[in-house]
Amino acid sequence: HSVLTQPPSVSGAPGQRVTISCTGSSSNIGANYGVHWYQQLPGTAPKLLIYADNNRPSGVPDRFSGSKSGTSASLAITGLQAEDEADYYCQSYDSSLSGSLPFGGGTKLTVL
Amino acid sequence: QVQLVESGGGLVKPGGSLRLSCAASGFTFSDYYMSWIRQAPGKGLECVSYITDSSTYANYADSVKGRFTISRDNAKRSLYLQMNSLRAEDTAVYYCALLRVSDWSYYFDYWGRGSQVTVSS
């Protein structure tokens, strides 16, 4: 199992706001290492969605935002759209794992 | 624009070997760390290995340590993953990704489309 814990699934209706949590520990998120989020649409490669806690790469809508507090981080999606249905992964650095870069287990977002 | 194109995947028997390649374009390859990430069928993402820009350091997941070797050729703008002693649990799509590094952040900025590796008798 991963050192970063995500809920297996979340859901929301179009137009609603949903959040996805990513819980870590004092050796990763709590040590102030950046948290990054990826979106994987069905049948495609993952894409960087949020980097360094709360930064959006060019082209990512401002409906997507990230936050971090203590040993946890969250991805928020507002104005939910059908095309947001995807798997979402958080990722960070962990100082207790010899330089490895763990991912969370992933969260399946279903748009109702 | 950044392009990463993997090749070399396929079907291999348990105990066999395979070498993946990743051809990079659209950025100064020699300036960036690079990585391999895999995704087993129906599972999540796992960073298998990454390598520094000048090949001075490489990191491996415990699951592949001693069996896989990452390397790069900056002149050819190419990244490689030599996979030996393959096991059924190595079956996955393998992605090549550009790894951005700062003081407190390591993240995968661009990804290739992936290469399927299947280990089966």
Side-chain angles (χ1 to χ4, degrees):
Chain A
H1 69 283
S2 177
V3 296
L4 302 177
T5 301
Q6 298 180 235
S9 63
V10 297
S11 62
Q16 283 190 333
R17 177 181 187 269
V18 297
T19 62
I20 298 172
S21 62
C22 177
T23 302
S25 67
S26 58
S27 62
N28 43 66
I29 298 174
N32 206 32
Y33 289 110
V35 179
H36 322 290
W37 293 90
Y38 304 86
Q39 177 192 58
Q40 186 175 30
L41 297 169
T44 70
K47 177 187 109 171
L48 180 66
L49 196 64
I50 297 287
Y51 67 95
D53 302 339
N54 54 17
N55 296 276
R56 284 185 308 276
S58 173
V60 173
D62 60 6
R63 301 186 297 105
F64 295 90
S65 63
S67 63
K68 185 173 81 175
S69 178
T71 58
S72 293
S74 289
L75 172 71
I77 310 172
T78 58
L80 204 57
Q81 299 179 3
E83 56 261 39
D84 297 334
E85 186 160 294
D87 293 323
Y88 292 84
Y89 295 89
C90 63
Q91 175 257 317
S92 187
Y93 177 94
D94 193 295
S95 59
S96 70
L97 297 176
S98 304
S100 76
L101 305 175
F103 287 89
T107 299
K108 169 69 177 177
L109 168 63
T110 300
V111 181
L112 302 170
Chain B
Q1 73 282 20
V2 172
Q3 277 203 311
L4 300 168
V5 180
E6 302 92 340
S7 60
L11 175 63
V12 62
K13 289 182 168 52
S17 297
L18 213 53
R19 189 195 196 206
L20 300 181
S21 299
C22 172
S25 61
F27 65 102
T28 306
F29 183 74
S30 57
D31 284 350
Y32 294 95
Y33 289 26
M34 295 295 296
S35 62
W36 289 100
I37 298 154
R38 70 183 179 184
Q39 186 170 36
K43 302 296 185 183
L45 302 170
E46 178 187 25
C47 179
V48 170
S49 181
Y50 64 88
I51 188 168
T52 57
D53 49 1
S54 53
S55 303
T56 53
Y57 172 77
N59 181 279
Y60 298 92
D62 286 344
S63 57
V64 307
K65 208 169 286 185
R67 300 187 298 122
F68 289 10
T69 302
I70 192 172
S71 63
R72 64 190 294 164
D73 185 331
N74 286 345
K76 294 183 178 179
R77 305 171 62 82
S78 293
L79 177 72
Y80 307 102
L81 186 67
Q82 178 67 42
M83 303 183 293
N84 298 331
S85 303
L86 283 161
R87 307 166 180 168
E89 53 264 36
D90 295 318
T91 294
V93 175
Y94 285 73
Y95 297 102
C96 167
L98 186 162
L99 177 58
R100 290 223 192 237
V101 175
S102 65
D103 284 345
W104 295 97
S105 285
Y106 290 63
Y107 61 95
F108 305 99
D109 200 352
Y110 293 95
W111 300 60
R113 292 189 173 186
S115 182
Q116 176 69 49
V117 172
T118 302
V119 184
S120 174
S121 55

